[in-house]
Amino acid sequence: MTKPLKFVNANRSTFFATVRERVDEYFHSQELSRHANGAMWAKTIFFLVAFAGLYGLIISGQFGPWVLLGLAGLLGACCAFIGFNICHDALHGAFSANKRVNKVFSLLFNLIGANPYVWTITHNIVHHTYTNIPGHDEDIEVAPGLIRLSEEEPVRPWQRFQHVYAFPLYGLASLSWVLRKDYIKFFKPQIGQHPTPRHPRKEYVNLFVYKALYYLLFIVLPLVVLDITWWQFIIGFLTLHLVEGLVLGLVFQLAHVVEGTAFPSPDETGDVQEAWAVHQLRTTANFAPRSAIAGFLCGGLNRQIEHHLFPRICHIHYPALSKIVQQTALEFELPYLENPSFLSALRSHYRILHQLGRAA
């Protein structure tokens, strides 16, 4: 078996102990819960009502093809926002101190096309541990062979144009989840270099039952009740997923693949010679941190640094935590990467794509 990668705190950094102590003191002094507050519950209700409303309008059959197409796009965006704001926190155990509440909200992940059990392995365990490490973090392996996101990846001739075709490919992320990715990850012997655990029997049932439920709600039922042709349905279904996939893909890329983020490789011993928390600072970036709209829609994932350091704290608290994390990083002379706006982060990611494609 491959030797597990370890983070070795060679410099004996006390950054994480210090910032964690300060965050603990913040919640204690303010007498706050680390989980959802009233504002978080209001967001949750808003997005769930929006999802149910959009789906209901589509399935009602009261609108023509062009209106249905617009509603499909809005539903795709809403699915992504539910993933960011509700499911993501629930799957990290951050939404509520009650495990049953987290379990219920994590099941909503099935309604946006993804399997929550597979996500906990690929994202919570692998991505959050081995962030941006080539060969370990499969989240940076977007369309392998087509898009090159690190210097470690081999060069292909067509990648000279990747800054042009990458964004449409990001739009396929959601469709891949629904039709292939979850199945492949579930049955792979390992994800990155992390051995896939032996799955409980109920997860085999959950995978296929919830996928079937998704296909019933989003493929079979619309075809049965709507007065549209098969090709009109395909256009609508693709629109839903292209919008959802593009939103999902961009938020991830703008947090980990922008100028300044590192893609470190293990040393000759197979280890990373720095503390895990320091590694998170070097491989993660915030974007539009002062945008109320970005904060509301992205579920705090525009403050990805705080999320990677404190994934079990509800994202509604990230604006307050960011001041603590940034100040502590400054004291320890560590990077705190930030793009001031969504567009500046998008331009930075575009330049990375262009730069890494030049070798072709």
Side-chain angles (χ1 to χ4, degrees):
M1 292 181 64
T2 305
K3 175 179 173 287
L5 182 150
K6 298 196 302 294
F7 291 92
V8 180
N9 190 1
N11 296 325
R12 300 181 182 275
S13 172
T14 59
F15 163 75
F16 193 44
T18 303
V19 76
R20 187 168 52 191
E21 181 180 350
R22 292 175 178 178
V23 167
D24 289 344
E25 173 58 26
Y26 165 77
F27 282 106
H28 178 73
S29 64
Q30 299 294 318
E31 299 182 346
L32 293 174
S33 165
R34 294 168 175 256
H35 300 102
N37 58 16
M40 180 64 191
W41 279 102
K43 284 180 70 173
T44 300
I45 294 170
F46 172 83
F47 283 115
L48 292 181
V49 169
F51 175 86
L54 288 168
Y55 182 81
L57 288 173
I58 291 172
I59 216 71
S60 70
Q62 299 299 309
F63 304 98
W66 287 108
V67 174
L68 288 175
L69 188 65
L71 290 172
L74 289 174
L75 182 60
C78 187
C79 287
F81 298 144
I82 286 175
F84 294 152
N85 286 276
I86 305 172
C87 304
H88 188 241
D89 272 24
L91 286 163
H92 276 292
F95 192 101
S96 172
N98 188 317
K99 291 184 178 180
R100 290 184 178 180
V101 173
N102 288 323
K103 180 66 174 178
V104 169
F105 281 131
S106 69
L107 291 176
L108 291 173
F109 218 44
N110 293 291
L111 290 181
I112 65 174
N115 180 271
Y117 172 74
V118 173
W119 172 266
T120 58
I121 300 171
T122 62
H123 180 80
N124 292 16
I125 298 174
V126 177
H127 170 66
H128 270 261
T129 303
Y130 308 113
T131 312
N132 275 26
I133 300 178
H136 292 263
D137 182 5
E138 289 195 359
D139 277 7
I140 63 173
E141 296 179 7
V142 181
L146 291 175
I147 300 178
R148 184 171 184 255
L149 295 180
S150 81
E151 297 283 357
E152 302 296 321
E153 296 182 51
V155 179
R156 314 287 186 186
W158 48 84
Q159 288 167 345
R160 71 182 69 185
F161 306 111
Q162 68 173 12
H163 57 288
V164 177
Y165 64 71
F167 297 99
L169 282 182
Y170 295 159
L172 300 178
S174 172
L175 201 62
S176 174
W177 252 345
V178 169
L179 299 177
R180 60 178 292 276
K181 183 178 177 180
D182 281 337
Y183 300 114
I184 292 172
K185 299 287 186 184
F186 190 89
F187 291 103
K188 283 182 70 172
Q190 64 182 40
I191 296 171
Q193 301 299 319
H194 182 83
T196 304
R198 186 173 181 178
H199 305 309
R201 186 174 299 175
K202 68 176 183 179
E203 296 303 340
Y204 287 87
V205 176
N206 287 342
L207 175 67
F208 291 103
V209 167
Y210 281 114
K211 287 291 184 184
L213 175 63
Y214 184 87
Y215 301 149
L216 174 67
L217 292 175
F218 287 89
I219 297 177
V220 176
L221 198 57
L223 282 171
V224 170
V225 303
L226 296 180
D227 184 22
I228 55 174
T229 64
W230 64 268
W231 58 266
Q232 287 174 325
F233 164 77
I234 289 177
I235 292 174
F237 187 74
L238 288 177
T239 297
L240 184 154
H241 282 288
L242 288 173
V243 172
E244 182 179 347
L246 186 61
V247 174
L248 292 169
L250 282 181
V251 167
F252 176 83
Q253 299 300 342
L254 301 190
H256 293 292
V257 189
V258 291
E259 292 161 311
T261 53
F263 291 82
S265 295
D267 62 16
E268 61 277 1
T269 67
D271 296 328
V272 174
Q273 296 296 323
E274 65 182 357
W276 170 83
V278 174
H279 173 82
Q280 298 304 317
L281 290 178
R282 298 192 189 282
T283 56
T284 309
N286 291 349
F287 65 89
R290 282 161 290 281
S291 168
I293 295 175
F296 182 81
L297 295 178
C298 295
L301 294 183
N302 59 315
R303 296 183 185 271
Q304 194 85 192
I305 295 172
E306 286 68 35
H307 170 62
H308 269 254
L309 292 176
F310 300 102
R312 295 185 67 82
I313 295 178
C314 181
H315 75 265
I316 206 75
H317 302 293
Y318 290 171
L321 299 192
S322 66
K323 299 174 184 177
I324 300 172
V325 174
Q326 187 171 20
Q327 179 60 37
T328 309
L330 181 65
E331 291 175 19
F332 281 81
E333 299 182 345
L334 293 170
Y336 186 88
L337 304 173
E338 211 170 59
N339 281 293
S341 69
F342 176 84
L343 288 178
S344 65
L346 191 62
R347 287 193 291 266
S348 181
H349 178 62
Y350 177 86
R351 288 192 292 268
I352 286 286
L353 290 172
H354 196 271
Q355 175 187 334
L356 290 172
R358 279 181 183 173

